[in-house]
Amino acid sequence: MNQPAPEGKPTSASRTTLSSIMTAAHTNLLGTVHGGVIMKLVDDAAGAVAGRHSGGPAVTASMDEMVFLEPVHVGDLVHVKAQCNWTGRTSMEIGVRVMAERWNEATPATQVGSAYLVFAAVDGEGKPRIVPPVLPETDRDRRRFQEAEIRRTHRLARRRAIQELRERRAAEGYEH
């Protein structure tokens, strides 16, 4: 994987919004929009940003901190806003904010959810490929970049701690 480092891209270059109106087909047993429907929209918007930022295919590696703040209802117009917060060598953290508004009212949209996803850029054979660095443009972008670095540190520490626990238990004769 001796690829040259690509030129950086500003945050705004790949930022996107996906909008969809919620119908009865999207509801759960409580009559509100199923969380899985929102999660799919989140993954779709984040995937578009990851593909745009990396300049090619990218796959979802993880979803962190999916938070549902308010229920979404039939007739809501949902806007999923996504941007690349941070980049590593072959991975990107995409931040997503989910907003909803009534389709037939002139009231402002309210935030109903948020999530952070990690995507890995891949080539045609599914092998990792290098991504351009993200270039934060605003104070908010710089804050998001710094927060993403903290989340990455926590993800890696959690993964290490779990692996060490499994190895220790295996050495003690316990099953994985």
Side-chain angles (χ1 to χ4, degrees):
M1 186 174 24
N2 291 331
Q3 304 166 350
E7 190 174 320
K9 288 185 179 180
T11 305
S12 62
S14 58
R15 189 177 288 136
T16 192
T17 300
L18 175 89
S19 297
S20 184
I21 205 155
M22 298 294 102
T23 68
H26 299 119
T27 59
N28 58 27
L29 297 175
L30 298 175
T32 57
V33 173
H34 195 287
V37 170
I38 301 299
M39 291 172 74
K40 169 113 173 51
L41 293 172
V42 163
D43 192 44
D44 287 347
V49 169
R52 282 180 173 185
H53 183 82
S54 69
V59 295
T60 311
S62 70
M63 178 183 268
D64 286 355
E65 300 180 38
M66 181 70 210
V67 177
F68 298 99
L69 301 169
E70 299 285 338
V72 177
H73 303 279
V74 170
D76 282 353
L77 182 56
V78 173
H79 309 285
V80 183
K81 300 171 180 276
Q83 76 170 45
C84 183
N85 289 336
W86 176 90
T87 52
R89 182 169 158 69
T90 62
S91 63
M92 303 157 275
E93 184 196 89
I94 312 300
V96 181
R97 188 176 50 204
V98 183
M99 309 292 289
E101 62 181 309
R102 295 305 297 167
W103 70 273
N104 60 348
E105 296 176 10
T107 55
T110 59
Q111 186 171 353
V112 295
S114 65
Y116 299 100
L117 295 87
V118 176
F119 277 77
V122 295
D123 63 18
E125 297 171 4
K127 304 285 186 212
R129 62 183 175 81
I130 295 173
V131 300
V134 67
L135 305 174
E137 299 172 277
T138 67
D139 285 339
R140 178 179 277 179
D141 292 342
R142 285 183 278 283
R143 174 185 55 79
R144 288 177 175 160
F145 184 93
Q146 292 170 325
E147 290 172 357
E149 288 183 320
I150 293 168
R151 282 187 292 275
R152 180 176 187 271
T153 299
H154 288 177
R155 276 191 298 273
L156 294 175
R158 182 176 59 238
R159 184 183 312 155
R160 255 190 323 275
I162 290 170
Q163 187 60 38
E164 289 169 5
L165 174 64
R166 288 179 179 175
E167 289 170 2
R168 195 167 50 250
R169 289 185 56 81
E172 293 169 355
Y174 294 103
E175 290 185 42
H176 287 342

